[in-house]
Amino acid sequence: MLKNRTFLLTALAVFSLSASPALADPKARVRGNMDDELRDRIIEVIGEVDGPPASRFEARRHARAAAEAAEALLRSEGYYQAQIEDLVEGEETPVAVILIDTGQRFVLTEPTVTWTDETPLPGIEAEVRSEIDLEPGAPGRAIDVIAAEGRIVAGLTRRGYADAKAETRRVVVDHATHTVEPEYRIDSGSLVTLDGVVLQTRGVTNPRWVAGLAPWDEGDVYDPENVAELERRLLETGVYDGVGVALSPPGQTTPDGNRPVIVSLTDRPARVLEAGATLSTAEGAGVDFIWTHYNRFGRADTLRYQARLAGIDSRLGVDLSLPHWRRPGRTAKLSAAIVNEDTDAYRRTGISLAADLNQRLGRTSYFSYGIGLDAGQYSESRFDPITQLPVKSDRDLALLTLRGSSYMDRSNDPLNPTSGWRLTVSAQPTVVAGEDSLAFLRAEAQATTYVPIDSEGRTIIAGRLRLGSILGGDELSIPSDRLFYSGGGGSVRGFAYQGVAPRLPDDTPRGGLSLFETSLEVRRDLGRNFGAVVFVDAGAIGFQETPNFNNLRYGVGAGVRYNLPFGPIRADIAFPLERRPADADFQIYISIGQAF
């Protein structure tokens, strides 16, 4: 019986060669009785050549090479008794041929796990064995045997055995019973419990702050997901060029039997000066200067000074971002600015102060809450519903705003989603003091969805719905910058900024108490880097608390996308339907990322 058994002490391997797409002739023709899927895999693995063989000698060489590749594939698929004959047919035009008799496919037996040193805790051992996922009687494929070994080690690692490793496996292929008998030899190591964090850096980061980010307590069992979460928390601050988080080696175990986690940080340049310029036919020109100081206080903070001179929004300000403030995932943001907004609808000059807390939920969602104080002079041109005439006024106002918002992202990509959805809701109760006194609530919600209509995800239907309402106050008394406006690249394309709503007799855009916007896009990939889009947008500004659809405006257009590794560059051209005298013939938009 022993002569019919083959002992494989080395790893089973799968050889896979990709066929070159530009070559026309197969290296050898494949003949034999087998299913189409296996035949296609054999043809793929033996590859192609530039042209037919020039001689019988070359054809013989092609046939032998094809037979070797086919044999490796068949063995990896569990055909250990396959008979392969390499042939050359034809005299003047020789053809390489391989004739295959796959024989009986070998099947798996119950796998065996042998612990070479310590045995894991009984409960953990049972859980790990249940994850091997090799069914007796299943095809004896090499890739399945190897993958099962990886699942054993990964299962141990997830459950605290950080040093688990696989020794040389022993796989017996029994030619008498046509079975594959895997035996895994695993060194589980000891169960690892964690100590604190050891920080290695040349920068100024506070070790106590880093230790406070660790999602474990001293003595907790090692969990690689917790170690990865610490790395994510440091990376998301954006102030480090390099972040490394790893369990210390066994030699650094503390007297209590715990092992620390080593954190290595490489700071990015502490100070960065940036300058930029923008030019838009709708919003005018602008220049920005930003001076940023990273890690000023040794806790991955970002201090940013900004000076902007632009046609619509000019400001001089400073803001401070404190990530993981008092708890992981929560960012404190403080800002102050002197602002000058000069839009078609109003002009505002004053100061703006804000303090917000942003709490991350999962990897891509969050909620935030905070308070803002805005004070300054408003120069407004408003609509008087009684006289039906525009009213110009200058008011000194102070606005105290409580603000809260939530953002849920279940899409698959931040800049170029092809499936999933997103939802944003916000509420801003506001008290106004100064030359007018009132209180109101501004609420807004936006939902987007992305639906692939083919299996490859090359054609996507994307939809957007945005609703807004102001409760309390009236159109004449609410400060102009808190009213709703629509039009532009982020709302209804084809119209200028603030250009959707009806205009006052002096051609000033009229802000409203409610908002309705919707968009529908069909996105199509064209090859590797390019894509095309057609879209229709619609929007309306209402002058009551509930949206009014009587003055809906529509824009239609098309665009192109050029896909870069970080996301698409988009260029859209949009046309307003039923164009009014004040509307331009078309608008062009260029930016990074999809419109929504």
Side-chain angles (χ1 to χ4, degrees):
M1 180 64 70
L2 290 178
K3 65 180 181 180
N4 292 322
R5 298 171 66 89
T6 302
F7 293 86
L8 304 182
L9 301 180
T10 58
L12 295 170
V14 179
F15 298 92
S16 176
L17 302 175
S18 298
S20 301
L23 303 180
D25 295 322
K27 184 175 290 184
R29 297 180 182 177
V30 178
R31 295 177 183 166
N33 186 19
M34 66 196 77
D35 61 62
D36 292 339
E37 181 180 356
L38 182 58
R39 183 186 301 274
D40 291 342
R41 292 198 60 193
I42 292 173
I43 292 173
E44 179 183 3
V45 79
I46 65 176
E48 297 177 335
V49 290
D50 292 327
S55 64
R56 290 181 61 84
F57 174 78
E58 185 178 0
R60 173 67 66 183
R61 184 164 53 86
H62 287 175
R64 289 175 178 171
E68 292 174 359
E71 181 181 19
L73 174 65
L74 289 168
R75 290 178 66 84
S76 73
E77 290 293 317
Y79 296 97
Y80 292 97
Q81 291 182 340
Q83 300 295 319
I84 305 176
E85 185 178 0
D86 55 272
L87 305 171
V88 175
E89 297 178 348
E91 295 294 337
E92 296 183 1
T93 55
V95 176
V97 177
I98 56 173
L99 182 61
I100 300 176
D101 178 5
T102 61
Q104 183 174 339
R105 195 175 201 179
F106 286 49
V107 297
L108 293 169
T109 63
E110 185 71 36
T112 302
V113 178
T114 300
W115 307 106
T116 61
D117 193 359
E118 299 183 41
T119 300
L121 296 174
I124 293 178
E125 180 184 12
E127 292 175 359
V128 170
R129 286 181 180 274
S130 70
E131 295 176 354
I132 295 177
D133 196 25
L134 286 184
E135 293 294 333
R141 302 174 69 239
I143 192 171
D144 294 337
V145 173
I146 296 172
E149 182 178 75
R151 287 192 291 271
I152 296 173
V153 175
L156 288 168
T157 304
R158 288 196 308 272
R159 293 168 174 85
Y161 290 85
D163 304 312
K165 60 183 179 180
E167 305 289 356
T168 302
R169 77 182 73 88
R170 183 173 182 268
V171 181
V172 178
V173 177
D174 191 331
H175 288 258
T177 60
H178 299 94
T179 57
V180 177
E181 305 170 17
E183 179 190 359
Y184 300 106
R185 304 176 71 250
I186 307 296
D187 179 2
S188 68
S190 301
L191 186 68
V192 175
T193 54
L194 294 176
D195 194 50
V197 171
V198 175
L199 177 62
Q200 297 178 347
T201 181
R202 295 182 179 180
V204 298
T205 299
N206 189 328
R208 292 182 60 188
W209 176 77
V210 176
L213 299 183
W216 65 81
D217 296 321
E218 183 177 344
D220 284 355
V221 173
Y222 167 80
D223 185 342
E225 182 56 34
N226 285 339
V227 175
E229 174 62 20
L230 175 57
E231 184 175 42
R232 282 193 294 268
R233 291 174 180 179
L234 291 167
L235 283 171
E236 71 181 16
T237 65
V239 306
Y240 300 110
D241 275 343
V243 174
V245 181
L247 182 67
S248 64
Q252 295 185 19
T253 302
T254 67
D256 295 331
N258 301 326
R259 282 163 62 178
V261 171
I262 299 174
V263 174
S264 303
L265 299 177
T266 303
D267 284 25
R268 65 186 301 175
R271 299 173 181 85
V272 177
L273 178 62
E274 302 170 272
T278 59
L279 178 62
S280 169
T281 56
E283 301 177 21
V287 293
D288 285 270
F289 296 93
I290 301 174
W291 185 78
T292 305
H293 196 149
Y294 294 107
N295 216 6
R296 174 68 176 80
F297 304 108
R299 43 139 26 257
D301 49 277
T302 300
L303 181 64
R304 181 178 289 109
Y305 301 91
Q306 179 184 23
R308 179 195 298 164
L309 180 62
I312 288 180
D313 183 1
S314 298
R315 64 182 56 219
L316 184 66
V318 58
D319 62 76
L320 174 64
S321 177
L322 302 171
H324 307 300
W325 188 74
R326 300 180 68 89
R327 62 178 296 181
R330 184 168 65 186
T331 300
K333 296 182 179 181
L334 306 173
S335 64
I338 301 173
V339 301
N340 180 61
E341 291 182 85
D342 189 0
T343 75
D344 290 343
Y346 63 89
R347 180 172 181 176
R348 178 174 77 99
T349 303
I351 62 170
S352 180
L353 306 174
D356 295 281
L357 293 176
N358 184 299
Q359 179 65 55
R360 177 168 62 86
L361 301 173
R363 297 186 182 182
T364 57
S365 302
Y366 62 85
F367 70 89
S368 65
Y369 52 94
I371 187 170
L373 175 64
D374 296 272
Q377 185 180 67
Y378 288 77
S379 297
E380 304 164 301
S381 182
R382 311 297 291 275
F383 179 75
D384 188 336
I386 298 176
T387 64
Q388 300 290 302
L389 295 174
V391 177
K392 292 185 179 295
S393 66
D394 292 329
R395 298 188 292 173
D396 292 327
L397 302 175
L399 286 72
L400 182 66
T401 303
L402 300 177
R403 47 197 191 189
S405 64
S406 179
Y407 175 71
M408 296 186 65
D409 186 351
R410 296 296 183 267
S411 65
N412 64 339
D413 189 279
L415 287 176
N416 190 23
T418 58
S419 64
W421 55 270
R422 299 171 180 168
L423 176 64
T424 304
V425 294
S426 66
Q428 298 180 352
T430 301
V431 176
V432 180
E435 295 185 25
D436 277 311
S437 299
L438 71 150
F440 63 90
L441 172 66
R442 191 180 195 269
E444 189 175 344
Q446 176 169 288
T448 59
T449 186
Y450 313 93
V451 180
I453 61 175
D454 57 33
S455 59
E456 298 178 353
R458 297 189 60 194
T459 302
I460 307 297
I461 295 179
R464 178 181 71 95
L465 177 64
R466 181 185 175 200
L467 298 172
S469 179
I470 296 176
L471 307 176
D474 55 51
E475 180 188 343
L476 195 59
S477 60
I478 291 176
S480 296
D481 64 327
R482 302 304 169 95
L483 294 173
F484 288 108
Y485 301 89
S486 183
S491 58
V492 182
R493 288 163 286 185
F495 293 87
Y497 178 68
Q498 298 180 335
V500 164
R503 291 179 175 265
L504 301 179
D506 62 357
D507 207 32
T508 299
R510 183 180 175 185
L513 299 178
S514 61
L515 167 73
F516 170 82
E517 287 180 354
T518 187
S519 299
L520 183 67
E521 285 193 352
V522 179
R523 304 170 182 171
R524 173 69 179 179
D525 282 344
L526 302 176
R528 180 172 183 149
N529 295 110
F530 286 93
V533 172
V534 293
F535 58 84
V536 56
D537 296 341
I541 296 297
F543 307 108
Q544 298 82 33
E545 294 177 348
T546 56
N548 185 343
F549 305 104
N550 293 333
N551 57 356
L552 268 174
R553 312 299 302 174
Y554 297 89
V556 298
V560 295
R561 305 290 184 264
Y562 183 76
N563 296 315
L564 296 173
F566 55 84
I569 295 177
R570 74 178 178 104
D572 293 337
I573 182 170
F575 305 88
L577 299 183
E578 299 181 3
R579 188 174 67 86
R580 300 163 299 186
D583 296 329
D585 292 335
F586 61 88
Q587 300 282 347
I588 295 176
Y589 310 94
I590 299 176
S591 67
I592 296 176
Q594 298 286 4
F596 58 88

